[in-house]
Amino acid sequence: MTHTNAVERRIEQLRDASLDDARLHELIELMLSGAIRRQLWLLFLDRDDRMSEAVMPTDDFPGAPDEPVVAGDLGPTTAAQLLAARLPLMCEAIGASQVALVWEREGDDRFRNDELAWAAAIAGALQDSEVRLRAQFVLHDDGLRALTPDDYARAG
């Protein structure tokens, strides 16, 4: 048995399970090991707290959540509002009802102001949405750290 096979087996076990917060953290940490560049990972869960096969990385999000954008169907809005408006469509398309966000970037495990601002803006924008914001994390050089509402409360 190799380490890779053991990791793959554990990922499969967790993907088949209903994920509490600790198991969700473990699964994401196994799937995304170590930061490579600045990007956002969108991970989707169903109503039974099971992880979807759909995993969406994106590296083209703005530096600030309040950056103005124009979307044909929404008109002038902010980057965070646009993302929050698109998440229900994505969830519907893949049969998910929850989303976990992973803010990847190189560096240590200390939260940065832009991460806190994004976390607060997305949480606020999804507050009245049918999509549940299940969790947010920062993926850094040494692993994964949960980003809780207490962490970003002052940034919003």
Side-chain angles (χ1 to χ4, degrees):
M1 173 173 67
T2 66
H3 177 71
T4 301
N5 289 337
V7 169
E8 290 171 5
R9 199 168 26 259
R10 183 60 180 154
I11 288 172
E12 285 305 312
Q13 289 172 342
L14 290 168
R15 278 191 171 277
D16 292 339
S18 180
L19 299 170
D20 60 16
D21 291 342
R23 287 182 175 166
L24 177 62
H25 191 282
E26 179 185 359
L27 176 57
I28 293 171
E29 198 162 38
L30 290 170
M31 290 171 54
L32 308 175
S33 58
I36 298 170
R37 64 182 157 272
R38 180 184 182 267
Q39 63 184 338
L40 170 63
W41 292 86
L42 306 173
L43 302 131
F44 301 92
L45 296 96
D46 66 17
R47 282 177 175 48
D48 296 323
D49 297 318
R50 287 181 172 77
M51 181 75 73
S52 167
E53 292 292 323
V55 175
M56 299 176 63
T58 181
D59 61 2
D60 62 351
F61 65 98
D66 58 353
E67 186 170 311
V69 295
V70 177
D73 58 332
L74 300 174
T77 189
T78 67
Q81 290 289 340
L82 178 60
L83 177 58
R86 297 300 183 246
L87 284 172
L89 301 172
M90 290 182 236
C91 284
E92 183 179 349
I94 60 175
S97 63
Q98 306 174 62
V99 64
L101 304 178
V102 180
W103 306 94
E104 177 184 349
R105 51 93 179 134
E106 293 179 297
D108 63 29
D109 69 346
R110 287 178 289 190
F111 296 132
R112 298 178 181 170
N113 290 336
D114 62 324
E115 295 158 355
L116 296 172
W118 266 106
I122 291 296
L126 288 175
Q127 190 169 359
D128 296 325
S129 174
E130 65 268 17
V131 173
R132 177 180 173 212
L133 179 59
R134 174 60 189 275
Q136 296 189 74
F137 299 91
V138 171
L139 179 64
H140 52 85
D141 288 348
D142 298 318
L144 188 71
R145 182 175 177 195
L147 217 172
T148 69
D150 286 345
D151 294 322
Y152 55 80
R154 290 183 300 268

